[in-house]
Amino acid sequence: MTDNTKRCYIIEHMEDAMHEWCSLEYKHMLQNIGPDHLYFTSLSDKCLNEGMPEELKAAQCYQVDVLNVPGIKREEICLLDPSGTSELSPEDGDKFKYFLFGGILGDHPPRDRTGELRKLGFEGRRLGPVQMTTDTAVNVTKRVVEDRIPLDKVPYIDHPEIFFSRHESVTMPFRYIAETKTITTKDGQQKSIKKPLMPPGMLELLKKDNEMSLDF
């Protein structure tokens, strides 16, 4: 795909700080999108100077909000909105140049903070009925509008259970892209399993958070 057909992905950061979970998701986006087509907007001084990993600063970083980024027009932007009335389709890649996400799609339960962006009058599209993490939403959108894969043909896994040991696990309350991996069972048989596509380092962070929650 040439640069003329590539689309841009804008994350309107909606927190004062940048927490570790957020940093891992943003790094995952950078791996999938590349720095030229990934925008972070509404970044506070605290984010830029304290919480933001240096590698993320290779992306297009702005302290202004999305409507004040030079060269971007409102009519070129599609807001990925859980309350949208129509689903994202491959044809939206022809209609829009920019795809906008609130850096809050991973809230559970959802707080509808995307509503703050909805009020600005962007045309909206939905990514199905199940809540996604922000990096999953960006990855799915890229597959639909650039790779032309229909939304319902992207492989998903919903609410996966992550095991840390035989007795410890956590169920993630989100939808992820599913990866198929082949494993060898104890009796030597090859078996295909579905695993959620998660940012590098996320399993370790989940394990650390789980251990902290059990430490009482």
Side-chain angles (χ1 to χ4, degrees):
M1 179 169 282
T2 67
D3 275 358
N4 288 336
T5 52
K6 275 186 172 290
R7 294 295 169 255
C8 296
Y9 304 85
I10 304 172
I11 312 302
E12 181 86 353
H13 189 71
M14 304 185 81
E15 305 283 354
D16 288 335
M18 188 170 293
H19 305 293
E20 192 172 0
W21 181 295
C22 184
S23 293
L24 290 179
E25 289 199 2
Y26 285 7
K27 287 179 186 179
H28 200 206
M29 295 175 200
L30 187 64
Q31 290 176 4
N32 289 322
I33 304 300
D36 294 340
H37 298 275
L38 181 62
Y39 290 67
F40 296 112
T41 56
S42 291
L43 294 169
S44 67
D45 285 331
K46 185 175 182 181
C47 279
L48 283 170
N49 298 325
E50 296 179 26
M52 193 172 197
E54 284 299 315
E55 64 195 89
L56 288 179
K57 295 178 184 178
Q60 311 303 306
C61 297
Y62 293 89
Q63 291 190 270
V64 296
D65 64 36
V66 60
L67 287 178
N68 288 295
V69 175
I72 295 181
K73 301 174 183 176
R74 187 197 307 262
E75 60 270 20
E76 296 179 317
I77 298 174
C78 172
L79 173 65
L80 279 301
D81 184 354
S83 299
T85 56
S86 58
E87 307 284 348
L88 185 73
S89 71
E91 291 72 31
D92 288 318
D94 300 322
K95 184 172 183 179
F96 301 103
K97 182 177 180 181
Y98 300 94
F99 293 85
L100 173 63
F101 306 79
I104 36 73
L105 283 185
D107 282 347
H108 185 77
R111 288 185 281 170
D112 191 33
R113 288 175 57 192
T114 304
E116 297 172 31
L117 296 172
R118 190 182 309 127
K119 294 173 185 174
L120 300 178
F122 301 112
E123 194 165 340
R125 294 290 186 273
R126 198 170 76 125
L127 290 173
V130 183
Q131 185 86 344
M132 297 179 183
T133 59
T134 313
D135 65 307
T136 300
V138 170
N139 201 339
V140 168
T141 298
K142 181 178 184 289
R143 293 191 184 203
V144 173
V145 301
E146 292 190 23
D147 301 338
R148 301 288 169 151
I149 300 172
L151 186 64
D152 62 356
K153 300 301 182 187
V154 177
Y156 300 113
I157 182 169
D158 294 344
H159 310 141
E161 187 173 6
I162 309 297
F163 287 90
F164 307 118
S165 69
R166 292 178 63 184
H167 306 292
E168 293 178 273
S169 68
V170 61
T171 298
M172 304 301 292
F174 308 116
R175 166 172 283 182
Y176 294 88
I177 292 174
E179 288 186 301
T180 301
K181 294 190 175 183
T182 302
I183 63 169
T184 303
T185 62
K186 289 181 179 179
D187 57 3
Q189 299 295 311
Q190 298 284 303
K191 180 182 178 183
S192 293
I193 60 170
K194 280 187 175 182
K195 304 272 285 184
L197 179 58
M198 303 176 81
M202 185 60 75
L203 291 178
E204 291 79 5
L205 179 59
L206 289 171
K207 188 174 190 301
K208 184 175 76 173
D209 288 349
N210 186 63
E211 289 170 349
M212 288 176 64
S213 69
L214 292 174
D215 187 16
F216 55 85

